[in-house]
Amino acid sequence: MVDRQNRVGSKFGGGGVSSAQQTERERKDRLRALALETIDLAKDPYLMRNHLGTYECKLCLTLHTNEANYLSHTQGKKHQAGLARRAAMEAKLARQRGDTDVMMPLRTTAS
């Protein structure tokens, strides 16, 4: 974690300001650790590692160079919109088949 108390000019003998590159690296490490705690990549149905060693999102058809890029992609707008679109499509198909076991509950109007 970045020590934000000991900046240049704040105290006698304080350390220097961390570089932008170091701050960005630490931010990415924190985000990656947080994402790995909440998301299990082994159970992700959309993650595929191809023969080149890159990661591919089968939902969005995007390529990612490493797990961190894929994890940040899963938090993004494009992937979240794809998940919502897929859930809506599955709910519609389930209603057409007459299934009662639907991922999202159907809304009923109270009269």
Side-chain angles (χ1 to χ4, degrees), residues 1-2 23 25-35:
M1 190 161 249
V2 178
T23 305
R25 188 178 322 116
E26 289 171 351
R27 184 186 71 82
K28 285 183 180 182
D29 289 341
R30 277 195 321 272
L31 290 175
R32 183 175 186 274
L34 179 64

Side-chain angles (χ1 to χ4, degrees), residues 41 44 46-47 57 64 66-74 79:
L41 290 179
D44 191 347
Y46 304 114
L47 175 65
C57 177
H64 307 280
N66 54 33
E67 289 177 352
N69 285 350
Y70 177 76
L71 288 172
S72 65
H73 162 74
T74 60
H79 190 79

Side-chain angles (χ1 to χ4, degrees), residues 28-86:
K28 285 183 180 182
D29 289 341
R30 277 195 321 272
L31 290 175
R32 183 175 186 274
L34 179 64
L36 284 174
E37 288 175 6
T38 58
I39 299 172
D40 186 13
L41 290 179
K43 294 180 182 177
D44 191 347
Y46 304 114
L47 175 65
M48 183 179 80
R49 187 169 178 157
N50 63 17
H51 68 285
L52 299 173
T54 60
Y55 295 91
E56 184 175 346
C57 177
K58 293 191 289 185
L59 179 67
C60 307
L61 303 175
T62 55
L63 293 174
H64 307 280
T65 55
N66 54 33
E67 289 177 352
N69 285 350
Y70 177 76
L71 288 172
S72 65
H73 162 74
T74 60
Q75 304 300 314
K77 235 188 251 186
K78 183 176 183 177
H79 190 79
Q80 295 297 322
L83 289 175
R85 188 172 50 249
R86 173 109 186 210

Side-chain angles (χ1 to χ4, degrees), residues 45-46 59 80-107:
Y46 304 114
L59 179 67
Q80 295 297 322
L83 289 175
R85 188 172 50 249
R86 173 109 186 210
M89 182 186 67
E90 287 178 356
K92 181 180 176 183
L93 290 174
R95 278 192 302 249
Q96 288 175 350
R97 287 192 310 252
D99 291 346
T100 57
D101 185 24
V102 180
M103 289 187 338
M104 296 172 26
L106 298 175
R107 285 201 277 181

